Amino acid sequence: MADRRVEAQDRALKRFLLIINCLLLSIGTCGGPLVMRLYFLRGGHRVWLSSFLETVGFPVMLIPLTVSYLRRRRRLSSGEPQKPKMISMKLPLFIASAFVGILTGLDDYLYAYGVARLPVSTSALIIATQLGFTAFFALLLVRQKFTAYSVNAVVLLTVGAGVLALHASGDRPNGESTKDYVSGFITTLMAAALYGFVLPLIELVYKKTKQPITYSLVMEIQFVMSLFATLFCGVGMFINNDFKAIPREARNFKHGEGNYYVVLVASAIMWQAFFLGTIGVIFCSSSLLSGILIAVFLPITEVLAVIFYKEKFQAEKGVSLLLSVWGFVSYFYGEIKQAKKMKKMNSSSVETELSQYS
């Protein structure tokens, strides 16, 4: 019975962490693209800088990592011979996290290139195709189990984004060539495919590592991933002379020099919330749920872009939004049914155990 109590406490803690990470993911998914697009709309032109900002906020992770370390020290009994380490990550996990980080940096560049050329409402729905790639790679890498409801959700959310291809250049920004628009469309789709591979890869790293995966270790993994993604994009910035161009861009920014730097900082914070929320959801649940939540929040981003940036809202976008919401409802209806089934099975097993002791 004591073991069951500990299991129940662990489940409650994971549910709490899942809620926190879902909130972080929602903030990052909705806010990140909007702030990035604001940079390009008001005079920004640096794609490498925008991709750099997606992960450069990683030093913020030192705050929760320090708090976690102090809590672990406080919980130690006075007779404990071994103190907790500030850094618990071992070399194999560090190398795996660094590799995933480089892939993330490449994905950041592809995504920023697309956002520079597409309306947010369009790029958001293209990114929703990521769910289909996530489901495919989750099946290959981590043997993800699918229910009829999750399959239905994947199909609906993927088709919903694919509907945009029927009207590929109907919302091309004024003054932009068809070539630029198509290249933005393709690179955004490539970004969706690559991140659809990265999510299950992170879950595979969790499963294969010989270290016990704690939330503190998850934050360390995020720190290393973001560090190497930032280094990757930083090299691109250096080659492209983006560091020298920042003061000039700031002076020419339509909202003023001060607001230019505010936009850069806000972008870094939003994207860090996105990445931490993503790997946190994978830790608490699965890469598939993480992909589904990203797809679910994208239509919200689309609506916000139409409101704030006066972007066009054609019939194709309406159909895509409807299919995305339908997919969201389908997935979580299936999850609720599965949770009730598991609860019923657990109750039956407890009753069986009690009857054996009576």
Side-chain angles (χ1 to χ4, degrees):
M1 296 297 287
D3 290 341
R4 289 187 178 278
R5 197 176 302 115
V6 171
E7 285 179 12
Q9 289 174 350
D10 287 344
R11 284 197 299 270
L13 177 60
K14 274 205 169 184
R15 279 196 295 269
F16 173 75
L17 289 174
L18 182 60
I19 292 169
I20 296 298
N21 283 285
C22 285
L23 289 173
L24 288 172
L25 188 56
S26 67
I27 292 169
T29 304
C30 297
L34 292 173
V35 178
M36 181 183 284
R37 184 60 178 168
L38 179 65
Y39 164 79
F40 288 113
L41 286 174
R42 298 299 180 263
H45 302 285
R46 300 284 162 172
V47 175
W48 277 113
L49 171 60
S50 293
S51 59
F52 179 80
L53 291 172
E54 291 184 56
T55 51
V56 75
F58 71 91
V60 174
M61 296 295 302
L62 291 172
I63 299 172
L65 280 169
T66 303
V67 171
S68 175
Y69 170 70
L70 294 174
R71 287 190 64 186
R72 279 182 281 136
R73 283 197 61 178
R74 196 180 301 122
R75 284 202 301 265
L76 270 178
S77 59
S78 55
E80 189 74 31
Q82 189 175 5
K83 292 183 178 179
K85 295 179 181 178
M86 181 70 181
I87 302 172
S88 57
M89 180 181 291
K90 294 180 181 177
L91 183 59
L93 185 56
F94 175 85
I95 294 171
S97 301
F99 174 71
V100 177
I102 292 170
L103 290 180
T104 302
L106 175 59
D107 184 77
D108 290 345
Y109 176 78
L110 292 171
Y111 178 74
Y113 187 94
V115 170
R117 288 156 177 79
L118 299 176
V120 175
S121 54
T122 301
S123 63
L125 288 170
I126 297 170
I127 285 293
T129 60
Q130 170 191 304
L131 181 59
F133 295 110
T134 301
F136 174 73
F137 288 117
L139 181 64
L140 289 182
L141 297 178
V142 295
R143 300 293 186 266
Q144 174 71 50
K145 294 180 181 178
F146 289 88
T147 65
Y149 296 101
S150 59
V151 170
N152 188 47
V154 168
V155 171
L156 288 170
L157 287 163
T158 304
V159 171
V163 165
L164 291 176
L166 300 174
H167 199 68
S169 60
D171 60 348
R172 186 171 70 243
N174 294 330
E176 185 176 277
S177 67
T178 301
K179 180 181 176 182
D180 283 344
Y181 185 91
V182 171
S183 65
F185 197 100
I186 292 171
T187 53
T188 305
L189 190 60
M190 290 170 63
L194 180 56
Y195 206 62
F197 172 70
V198 166
L199 292 180
L201 187 60
I202 295 171
E203 187 174 355
L204 182 65
V205 169
Y206 289 168
K207 289 179 181 293
K208 293 297 183 181
T209 184
K210 295 179 180 179
Q211 291 185 244
I213 298 293
T214 62
Y215 193 67
S216 177
L217 186 58
V218 166
M219 289 190 288
E220 288 182 32
I221 292 170
Q222 170 62 18
F223 186 92
V224 174
M225 284 170 50
S226 295
L227 170 63
F228 278 85
T230 302
L231 289 173
F232 178 88
C233 296
V235 171
M237 283 185 68
F238 179 77
I239 294 172
N240 201 45
N241 291 320
D242 282 10
F243 290 105
K244 294 179 181 178
I246 289 175
R248 184 174 66 252
E249 266 201 347
R251 289 192 296 271
N252 297 328
F253 197 63
K254 290 181 181 178
H255 289 317
E257 188 172 352
N259 285 327
Y260 175 85
Y261 292 107
V262 170
V263 168
L264 298 192
V265 172
S267 183
I269 292 172
M270 291 288 186
W271 285 117
Q272 196 57 39
F274 168 81
F275 284 112
L276 180 57
T278 299
I279 69 165
V281 170
I282 295 173
F283 166 71
C284 297
S285 182
S286 68
S287 56
L288 179 63
L289 177 59
S290 183
I292 283 174
L293 287 173
I294 292 170
V296 164
F297 293 131
L298 288 173
I300 300 173
T301 309
E302 176 196 3
V303 172
L304 291 174
V306 171
I307 294 171
F308 291 117
Y309 299 149
K310 309 301 180 186
E311 294 182 357
K312 299 174 184 177
F313 192 85
Q314 299 100 328
E316 289 82 358
K317 290 183 181 180
V319 172
S320 184
L321 179 61
L322 178 62
L323 289 173
S324 297
V325 173
W326 185 4
F328 164 76
V329 172
S330 173
Y331 177 81
F332 281 98
Y333 177 73
E335 287 297 295
I336 291 169
K337 286 196 70 173
Q338 187 69 14
K340 286 181 179 178
K341 184 179 177 181
M342 291 298 295
K343 188 176 180 181
K344 190 175 181 180
M345 288 174 63
N346 289 335
S347 299
S348 299
S349 61
V350 170
E351 288 174 5
T352 303
E353 255 185 50
L354 290 174
S355 63
Q356 288 175 351
Y357 287 103
S358 60

